[in-house]
Amino acid sequence: VTLFHNDSAKIATASTGVTITGGFTATDGSTITTDDNSQNLILVSTDADASVGPELHLRRNSSSPANADLVGEISFNANNDAGQDTNIVSIDTSITNVADGSEEGQFDIRTKVAGTMRSRMIMYGSNTKFNDAGQDIDFTVESSGNAGMFFLDAGNNRVGIGTAGPDQFFQVQADEAANYAVRIHNDGNNAN
């Protein structure tokens, strides 16, 4: 079946689905469901210029915007072993300053840790903050030859460079044999 507007085909049905020529507006929530692992939604731009495309635009169109308004979230959900729909990872955004010419936004990446959503990285204003809630969540930077090139041990309040197991407040280790390039600790009397 094909539906026309002014002799132009706009909606055409087939055994594989529906083809829409032109845009569409939905005024309520919509769900796209597949029974396999194929891509549920694909955005395609066939433009050949140097401008951005395709573009996904999320907009909160508020008539009374206020600082700290949430402006969008991308939520990744899955069933847990009790069959409950569970938010596992989310990307949350907010506008921290709505003043014209001084607008600022916040971008927060959150993951589920031991059953509770925890902020892993927040970017806002002039600051980027990791582990904002002060949880026992370590931070690691790996290099091509060292899995602990930079390691922050959140539970023990230690930082290691060249080691993923610092035994002092700040430790720089030259090799796996625990030969220290620099080692700083406090033995109660002196900083060494």
Side-chain angles (χ1 to χ4, degrees):
V1 174
T2 302
L3 300 180
F4 293 82
H5 176 76
N6 286 345
D7 292 328
S8 295
K10 295 299 178 182
I11 299 177
T13 66
S15 61
T16 55
V18 176
T19 299
I20 299 173
T21 302
F24 71 91
T25 300
T27 58
D28 204 345
S30 304
T31 301
I32 301 172
T33 303
T34 60
D35 61 359
D36 56 22
N37 292 323
S38 61
Q39 297 165 325
N40 289 48
L41 178 64
I42 302 171
L43 304 178
V44 176
S45 172
T46 59
D47 199 356
D49 63 20
S51 298
V52 175
E55 183 177 347
L56 176 63
H57 186 114
L58 306 179
R59 181 182 181 201
R60 180 165 182 174
N61 189 10
S62 172
S63 61
S64 56
N67 292 348
D69 277 353
L70 299 176
V71 296
E73 177 182 81
I74 300 175
S75 177
F76 300 84
N77 290 32
N79 285 354
N80 61 17
D81 63 4
Q84 299 165 325
D85 182 21
T86 305
N87 182 205
I88 301 300
V89 177
S90 67
I91 299 171
D92 302 314
T93 61
S94 61
I95 185 166
T96 56
N97 188 344
V98 298
D100 185 21
S102 299
E103 300 88 358
E104 285 190 358
Q106 178 174 294
F107 185 85
D108 187 2
I109 300 174
R110 301 159 43 90
T111 68
K112 186 83 77 173
V113 179
T116 303
M117 289 300 288
R118 301 291 187 190
S119 174
R120 305 306 290 265
M121 181 180 70
I122 299 178
M123 293 178 280
Y124 58 94
S126 60
N127 196 1
T128 298
K129 189 184 292 187
F130 295 89
N131 194 16
D132 184 52
Q135 299 297 304
D136 187 1
I137 300 172
D138 298 337
F139 178 79
T140 305
V141 177
E142 295 189 11
S143 68
S144 61
N146 191 326
M149 196 65 229
F150 179 90
F151 182 78
L152 186 145
D153 183 339
N156 293 308
N157 298 317
R158 295 175 179 166
V159 173
I161 295 178
T163 177
D167 57 17
Q168 299 297 329
F169 177 74
F170 178 70
Q171 178 176 324
V172 179
Q173 189 165 310
D175 54 40
E176 294 180 3
N179 293 317
Y180 301 108
V182 175
R183 185 180 184 202
I184 299 173
H185 74 280
N186 190 332
D187 62 7
N189 298 310
N190 301 295
N192 299 302

